[in-house]
Amino acid sequence: MAEDRGTYAFAIEWLKMLGYNPDTRMAATIGEYWGWYTADNEWYHYRARRGFKLFKNDRETLHPAALAAEAWSDLLMNERLEITAEDKGLQEVLDAHFDGFGVNQADFTTRAFALGTGGWAIGVDDVSDDGMLHPDARVKIEDYDAHQVLPLTWSADTCTQCAFVTRVELDGRDYDQCQAHILLGGTYHILTQLFDVKSHRMVFPEGVTADLDTKSPYQTFAIVKPAVPNPHFSYCAMGASIFEKGISAIKATDEALTSLLVHLRVARPKMFVADTMIEKKTKKDANGKNVTEYAAFGEADDITFRTPPGEEGTDPMKVVQPDMRIADNEQAINAGLKMLSLTCGLGDNYWAWDHKDGLKTATEVVSDSSMLARTLKKHQNALTDSITQLVRGVAGVCRNLCGTKADPAADLSVDFDDSIITDTQTDKNMALTEISMLGIPALKRKYLTDYCGFTEEEALAAVPDQAAAVDMGF
């Protein structure tokens, strides 16, 4: 990835030479999102005036913006994400390129949800633009953060052509790279241009395919956005951050944490000791002046302080223990986390702060958290569209460039893990109630298989059907 975060003027100039005008309207907003995501902006690092001097100050942080983005990534992109297809060739493509996709793309999804946009784009190595099939070509999936995504043609809901900027290494040398995925003559082409990292002038190293025709009509990239409306611009290909509405909650959370740590620091015991209790000696310095030194004493530790002698009978040593106000600050932190949870669509009480254990995430989010359930489904639908588009794009490239026998248009299933919005304990209690009321063996066996890890054979052996009554003839 390029070191500088911005709109990459050198890449934009090249794209304009090709006749495109990239959409960079969200660049400044993405920069603001990044500041909150990394907890590194003017709110966290500020200057306060005292008299005629400015002093640097820093706020402490729980990284609330990152917490929100990571929470949604954990709920959506995990090991339980399954992408399957009935078409054998398409399933082979999935096995080759999408194995462990949920876990592998979790970090990328975190950044995409934090910055409002991300991009998956197909890259092809070991291929030339000679129009021949290349069975050994390496088809790969690259991910790009929001600041690296430059939409070229778009509407309110779709982006049909897009460019991506990154840094690459070729023959031991670094280059800035811009790849434009454009539609020409009914198929997608991947145009590649490299730039010198210092001068940003266009360079043309050997072995780089400037125009690769994928021979596929399927889009060779997919834009990834959370299901959050963009309040900044209409008809924009870029999305809004998951914490778009949560900036005040972020501030409240970290302001409360800063208050807690300030109280902990200020509340350290203070010991005030009279001069008469401290061993001291006088000696001359290099200029011949008398200097008094106090033994085993230092005011810099903010714990022990020297005081002048008091009236006769006054205690020469006094210890003061300020109130830490743990409960008040803990309540303030929890209030901030509650607001963060609500404004980011995670429902109520997703996080909690405990002064003994620190930050805890809810281990069970039950189905009566309707906000979480609704928002989760919206994000799943948005990600499903992006994943489906990417899979079809990879299948199209594999089929047309590598000769893979796959049908990119075949039915595709993207299944997410919905267990987080299921109240398992309530389901178990209901199942036990049904068993106690009805006593049906099949219900008992279902309970064993669903909640106790039994196989169907083990459950049948443990709870056989009742034997038929035998007529003894009486």
Side-chain angles (χ1 to χ4, degrees):
M1 182 172 62
E3 297 294 329
D4 296 329
R5 292 181 172 272
T7 54
Y8 304 108
F10 58 90
I12 293 174
E13 182 179 355
W14 174 66
L15 293 169
K16 287 183 176 180
M17 290 171 56
L18 299 178
Y20 298 99
N21 189 22
D23 185 5
T24 60
R25 290 173 293 169
M26 285 290 290
T29 304
I30 291 169
E32 293 176 5
Y33 290 154
W34 181 258
W36 292 113
Y37 175 63
T38 58
D40 186 10
N41 58 23
E42 292 182 354
W43 188 81
Y44 283 102
H45 310 292
Y46 63 99
R47 292 176 179 269
R49 181 177 295 278
R50 295 173 187 170
F52 295 98
K53 293 184 179 181
L54 289 174
F55 295 87
K56 293 182 179 180
N57 288 273
D58 299 299
R59 287 185 172 91
E60 306 292 343
T61 181
L62 283 172
H63 292 273
L67 282 176
E70 289 166 0
W72 278 116
S73 179
D74 291 342
L75 294 174
L76 293 161
M77 302 296 282
N78 51 54
E79 69 279 359
R80 296 190 181 184
L81 174 68
E82 293 185 357
I83 311 173
T84 56
E86 294 184 2
D87 179 73
K88 184 177 180 181
L90 185 56
Q91 185 60 51
E92 290 179 357
V93 171
L94 290 173
D95 294 339
H97 299 283
F98 292 86
D99 184 42
F101 190 74
V103 174
N104 295 337
Q105 294 297 325
D107 289 343
F108 159 77
T109 305
T110 297
R111 297 191 302 274
F113 273 50
L115 303 181
T117 308
W120 286 315
I122 299 171
V124 186
D125 289 338
D126 300 332
V127 65
S128 59
D129 52 357
D130 55 11
M132 303 293 290
L133 284 177
H134 296 268
D136 297 325
R138 292 189 296 114
V139 179
K140 56 186 180 180
I141 300 171
E142 305 281 4
D143 57 75
Y144 298 89
D145 290 346
H147 66 283
Q148 299 173 288
V149 178
L150 298 174
L152 301 179
T153 55
W154 66 91
S155 64
D157 301 317
T158 60
C159 178
T160 54
Q161 299 183 108
C162 193
F164 303 91
V165 185
T166 188
R167 179 158 293 180
V168 297
E169 184 270 333
L170 181 64
D171 295 331
R173 182 178 175 183
D174 287 341
Y175 297 93
D176 284 326
Q177 173 185 276
C178 183
Q179 284 192 327
H181 294 244
I182 62 175
L183 190 60
L184 291 174
T187 62
Y188 271 90
H189 290 237
I190 303 176
L191 309 184
T192 302
Q193 179 60 58
L194 299 184
F195 302 84
D196 182 83
V197 295
K198 294 182 178 180
S199 67
H200 289 154
R201 293 180 179 177
M202 290 188 290
V203 293
F204 306 90
E206 293 184 3
V208 176
T209 303
D211 181 355
L212 175 64
D213 182 2
T214 67
K215 301 180 178 61
S216 171
Y218 293 93
Q219 193 165 296
T220 52
F221 66 92
I223 299 298
V224 180
K225 300 184 291 186
V228 177
N230 187 337
H232 303 280
F233 300 99
S234 300
Y235 299 101
C236 182
M238 312 292 276
S241 171
I242 198 69
F243 50 79
E244 171 69 38
K245 298 179 180 178
I247 303 302
S248 295
I250 293 171
K251 292 180 178 180
T253 302
D254 281 344
E255 195 72 82
L257 176 67
T258 301
S259 175
L260 171 65
L261 295 181
V262 167
H263 276 87
L264 290 176
R265 185 166 57 249
V266 172
R268 289 185 297 178
K270 305 292 190 297
M271 185 167 62
F272 298 90
V273 183
D275 272 347
T276 55
M277 293 286 292
I278 303 171
E279 181 184 356
K280 54 181 177 271
K281 61 182 178 180
T282 301
K283 67 177 185 179
K284 294 184 180 297
D285 63 10
N287 297 320
K289 294 182 179 180
N290 290 333
V291 177
T292 301
E293 292 184 350
Y294 295 87
F297 181 80
E299 296 184 13
D301 60 5
D302 292 335
I303 294 178
T304 307
F305 296 86
R306 177 171 55 88
T307 62
E311 298 179 359
E312 186 176 351
T314 303
D315 188 351
M317 183 181 296
K318 184 179 180 180
V319 177
V320 177
Q321 176 69 65
D323 186 1
M324 290 186 180
R325 304 189 70 83
I326 295 293
D328 292 340
N329 284 297
E330 181 181 298
Q331 186 176 357
I333 293 174
N334 278 320
L337 291 171
K338 183 183 182 74
M339 288 189 290
L340 181 70
S341 177
L342 288 171
T343 53
C344 295
L346 289 162
D348 197 7
N349 297 324
Y350 191 85
W351 295 287
W353 173 271
D354 186 331
H355 71 275
K356 294 181 180 179
D357 301 322
L359 183 65
K360 297 185 294 184
T361 303
T363 54
E364 268 191 60
V365 184
V366 297
S367 57
D368 61 6
S369 178
S370 57
M371 172 183 281
L372 174 62
R374 292 194 305 270
T375 312
L376 181 64
K377 185 57 66 174
K378 291 178 182 178
H379 292 322
Q380 287 178 347
N381 291 339
L383 273 176
T384 295
D385 291 343
S386 298
I387 293 172
T388 300
Q389 191 171 68
L390 179 66
V391 170
R392 299 199 189 287
V394 172
V397 172
C398 289
R399 177 178 180 176
N400 292 282
L401 279 186
C402 308
T404 305
K405 295 181 179 179
D407 180 8
D411 290 339
L412 189 68
S413 176
V414 181
D415 296 316
F416 294 89
D417 173 25
D418 286 332
S419 63
I420 191 66
I421 58 172
T422 301
D423 186 355
T424 304
Q425 189 59 48
T426 298
D427 292 345
K428 290 174 67 175
N429 292 340
M430 183 175 293
L432 290 172
T433 300
E434 292 175 348
I435 290 172
S436 63
M437 292 178 62
L438 303 175
I440 301 175
L443 292 177
K444 297 179 181 179
R445 291 196 293 269
K446 188 175 188 310
Y447 184 90
L448 292 176
T449 56
D450 288 349
Y451 303 110
C452 300
F454 280 53
T455 65
E456 292 184 1
E457 292 76 12
E458 292 170 340
L460 181 59
V463 186
D465 289 323
Q466 294 179 352
V470 179
D471 186 358
M472 302 299 293
F474 300 109

